[in-house]
Every structure is written in structure tokens, then in C-alpha cells.
Amino acid sequence: MSRPERTSAAWLQRESKLTLSRLMPRLKSRFSSVTGTPEWAAFNERLDRRFGVLFEALHELYGSHYDFFYHLETILDTMTEMWLERSDDLKALDATRESDPQWFQSRRMFGATGYVDLFTGDLSGLRTKLPYLSEMGITYLHLMPLFRSPDGDNDGGYAISSYREVDPELGTMEEFAKLTPELRRYGISLCLDFVFNHTSDEHEWARNALAGDPDYQAYYRMYPNRTMPDSFERTIRSVFPDEHPGCFTYRNRIRKWVWTTFHNYQWDLNYENPAVFNAMAGEMLFLANVGVEVLRLDAVAFIWKRQGTNCENLPEAHTVIRAFNALVQIAAPAMVFKSEAIVHPDDVVKYIDPDECQLSYNPMLMALLWSTLASRDVRLLRHALEKRFALPADTAWVNYIRGHDDIGWVFSDDDAAELGIDAHGHRRFLNDFYTARFKDSFAHGRPFQENPETGDMRVSGTAASLCGLEKALAEGDEDELELAIRRILLLHGVIMTIGGVPLLYLGDEIGTLNDYDESDPERIGDSRWIHRPVFDWEAAEKRHDQETPQGRIFAGLLRLAQIRQQNLAFTRADTEIVDTGNNAVFGYFRQQEGQSVLVLANFSEREQTMSARRLRLLGLRKTVTDIASGRIIIAQQELSLEPYQFAVLLAGR
Ligand code: GLC
């Protein structure tokens, strides 16, 4: 008989049980002051339940290290210490969320995202604007990175110098500590980034590395000469080729090449080193303890590197996340993960799992909504979603039409080819369309990271500017204005109702336009800043005035938010994409708790019809109500949809 393989499931299970029983007495003696309490019992129960998953993941990553058990014990210590530091409030929330693991699937979930400085100046300003968020029904707030980062260029805060200190321009840790319980009182779950692929080169670890400390140099990926960087660069791509071609930066002081995927001041962490995992676990649980309920895992695709590969989406990247997830489920189960994988749809979906990321951005839906708006043809959207929208139970999409980053055309070439669409040509068309190089385009966007050799680029722009509002206002064209507003509402209508958490970029609710100001030298060369303007509170004052675009967009969005909140069909994610028989009309059924609705979205500026036969085929009988317009519809007759109409038919099927 052959010896059992040291990684077989049975071996791992046995070993994990044995290890826990070996480690427990030591853990108990170190934390003896709390081990008699009921909350310790709850913690212990979670540890028992999840340790196997944690062990398996860590064993896969670090099992071959001679001091694996030492690292394992250190990680358990970090986790226990951080759990002990957790406030009673948050421990209570842990219990609530454990009894309702689907909490983020509620139809009350409605997210907003923005920068603290651009939205309200600072953290104390933000506290005064919580009523504004409440007015819209926001229940989830993603704040862009608000921790200390280098002065000047810092990638919008994505170069973090300390995960435990608030950027002094935004306020203090004390102010931040006041904000989070207040958000909870407003029923708003806080989402923050875990920028865990890299730190800034001013982080203490990087400073120590620069001072020559080998332990901290091992926190990063550093090479004495170009041999390894050259070898890696043969198979990896540049993320920001304009500002930072290649992926390595030479630091004279230490005479080493440092791995810098994004910018030269963002140093990639080395997760092959278990000390890095442990240190980052501490930072992550610190974020959980300040009250983060949704942790946005930034740049997940890049965290593991292996020679000869493109160093994106490697299996170990998933394992690292699974290990972090297990830690959280033991020490801070109120928090869930959201993956930021803006990559091929086949790879996006691999991060979505209750044991990995419960939530994920849906970049394909985002890209295809814009694609459909440009082509007026829903076939690619329908086909791709039919194949790819369904997710495992207990997970959900975060649906958005734009964020703080650029828009990239992340759909699958194969999906396009199955419909006879040449993906390359279609992307070129979309780039031309959204940067107004295409003659009849309504959109005003700007190229981002344009590669003149290949013609590749991504697109920057606010929702309103890309939907035609900027052009309509510049030309004073009332009809175009109406169409632009309808486009904005159409796209938001889809993300509000298709299943998952809708996420609004703050400012889009009042039709914020692109800001072309280039007076800040740090922003030149990064067109993403055109769609990150300072929030215009004066314009927001007009939100109740139906004579203004702000008022019309705001009211339209509120209506959509109400439709979502008030109808059982919008709980959870079961969505059936349907063929409406009209290639300009996108449609899907949502059914939940006995309620069934058919959502229809006309993606063209022309009136469109659906035949009575098709309505019957879709099971609609007699009369139905469009709860978006209040109109009664007779299903035995042809249905006509106005330009860009978004309809929600409440149906008995
Ligand atoms: C993510 C962020 C982006 C940032 C990058 C590096 O993609 O969304 O803004 O530049 O990570 O941290």
C-alpha cells in the first residue's frame, strides 16, 4: 500500500484536527483571562468549525516552510488578539450576521461610493451629510482609501503608508471611530478597501527595507539585477503603461529592482513570505474592528506571482483569499469580502464563493450595458448574461455602471464570436463611440491608457457625460437632454433590479459632468480624474426641482430605489434572462417569494414593440401593471415601449 499523500483531503483533515488540539491548550493559556466567558465559547465554536479551511489554505501556501507550525501559531495569536479588541457592538453584529448570512442580498441594499475629500471635504463633513445618503435610501457606503498615503501622487489613496492612521487631511482616527457607529445607526454598512497587493514606498515596512533591513526586504519582491525582472516581464503586462511602463522600479539606495505592478511608489507585497500574510491579517482585522462590514479586496488578480505565467489570477491568489476569509469568519464574521477583479469574466467568477469573496463587482455587466447603449442591440448582453449571470448560493454581484476607475471592455471574445461579433472590432467601435471619435456619438469620454500601436485603450467619463447629458447641455438641445436623462435612468434601472447589490457613484444621481480641469499637475496624464470631480452641493440643492436635470435624474433614481425596496421580487439574485423577441429590448424575470416581475429595457432612442404572442410566450396573461410608470398593460395586445423606456411589469405568470 502506498503512503497517504501529504496533501490528500483525509490527511489534511486529520492533520488539521491534530494541530488544533495541539495548539488549543497554548492558546487558552495565553488568553486565560477570557477563556471562561460565553463570548469565548462562541469564538471557540467558530474556530472549531473553520480551522480546517484555514489550515488547508495555509498548508497549501506555507506547508513546505520548515517553521510552518510556528507561523500558524503566530497567525492564530494575531486572530485571537484582534478578536479580543473587537467592540461589544461589533461582536453583537457578528452574532446577528451569522444568523443571517444572506444579509447583503436584501432588497434594501443600495450602495454608494465616493472619495471623502471630494464628497464632503473630510470625515466630519461626511457625518453631516449622512441624511443626504439616507434620503436616497443608501444602505452601503464605499469610501475610497482614507488612510495615510504619500503627499502628491498616491493613486487616489491606493498607495497606503499606514493601514491604521487616517489621512490627516481627512481627520483623525478618533473622528473615524465616531463615524462608523453613526453609519450603523443610519443603517449604512461601511465598505473600505483592503489594498493588500502593495503598500506605498513610505510605509514603515518599505522604509525599513530601504534602510537595508533584510527581514523587511523580504516583505517585498526585490532583485539585485535585471535577470529575474527581465524574465518576468516576458510574460506579464503593464497595467499603467503610460506612466509606468514595465513592472519593476530600480531603487538606488538599496541597488535593487522592486516589483511595482501599478506605480513606482506602490511596492508589491510578497505573499510567499508567511510573515507578510500574518502582518496583513493583522491589518485586515484592524479594518474589521473599526466597523468595516464589506471589505473590498483591491487588485485581487495580482497578489501571487510565478515565473513563466502572466502573474494574474494564479491559484495561490485564491488560496490567500480563502485563508483571509477563514480568519474573518472566525474573528469578525460580520464582515464579508468583495472582490475587485476587473478581468476576463471566466476569471472574475472564480473569486466568488462563500469561502472566498461573497460579493464581486460585475465588470462584464458594466461593460456590456455601455456596449448595448452604443450598439442599440441587446444580443451580446443577453447572451453573455444567460451564460454568466447565475452565481453560487450565498454570493452576489455588485452591479455598477461606473466607478472611480476607467471603463474597460471586459467581455469574453468567445461570447462575442458565438454571435458572429468580432470582439476586437467591437472594442474599437466602443472606444471610438465613447471618446466621441465616432461621428454620431452622444458620449463625451476621454481615452485612458491609450496604446497608439495596438489602438487599445480604456475610457474615462461620468455616467452623465457618457450618456449624452454633457453634449445635450452644450448644444442646448431639449430633445437630446430628455434622451440623455432616460439613458442614465435606464442603466441605473437595470443595476437596481437585475439581482445583487446596486452601486451608485456619488454625483451620478445629480448628473455630474466630466471635469476637465488640469490645474493639478498630479492629475495630468491620468484621465480618470475627469470623472472624479468635487461633489457639487449647489447642484445637489436643485435635486427637488423637477425643472432641472438634477431634479429629474434624482427623482427618477429615487423612484427606482423605491421600486427595488418595495417589491419582494428584488430580494436575492435569481434572474431569468429572456428573449423579448426584439433585439433592442433587454428583458429578465425576477421571481421571489411568490412575486414575479418582468423587467424590460428599451436600449434605443426609437419606440420599440413586443408582440402579444411574445408576451404570451413569456407567460403574461390579462393585464399587468408597469410599476415604473404606473401604466396598466393589456397582455393580449402588442406592447410598445417609448425611447429608452424602463418598465417593470408586475405579472401573475
Ligand atoms: C484598483 C483601484 C485602482 C488602483 C489600483 C491599484 O484597481 O481601483 O484605482 O489604481 O487598484 O491599487
Side-chain angles (χ1 to χ4, degrees), residues 442 444 462 464-465 467-475 484 513-514 516:
F442 47 75
H444 277 193
T462 66
S465 287
C467 282
L469 191 68
E470 187 176 324
K471 185 166 186 273
L473 288 171
E475 294 171 0
L513 303 180
N514 289 342
Y516 299 106

Side-chain angles (χ1 to χ4, degrees), residues 115 155 158 195 198 240 262-263 266 296 298-299 340 404-405 528 532:
Y115 291 85
D155 194 20
Y158 279 92
V195 184
H198 44 264
F240 295 133
F262 291 90
H263 295 99
Q266 286 163 306
R296 174 189 185 273
D298 181 62
E340 192 243 354
H404 69 290
D405 282 329
R528 291 177 300 175
R532 302 167 178 172

Side-chain angles (χ1 to χ4, degrees), residues 351-390:
Y351 293 92
I352 311 174
D353 185 293
D355 287 339
E356 210 168 315
C357 295
Q358 296 90 337
L359 292 166
S360 164
Y361 282 103
N362 193 346
M364 186 189 79
L365 175 66
M366 187 261 316
L368 289 180
L369 287 173
W370 292 109
S371 155
T372 311
L373 207 56
S375 65
R376 284 83 162 168
D377 186 331
V378 305
R379 275 176 295 178
L380 183 54
L381 175 66
R382 184 171 72 214
H383 179 61
L385 291 194
E386 264 166 2
K387 281 173 74 174
R388 300 175 186 276
F389 193 74

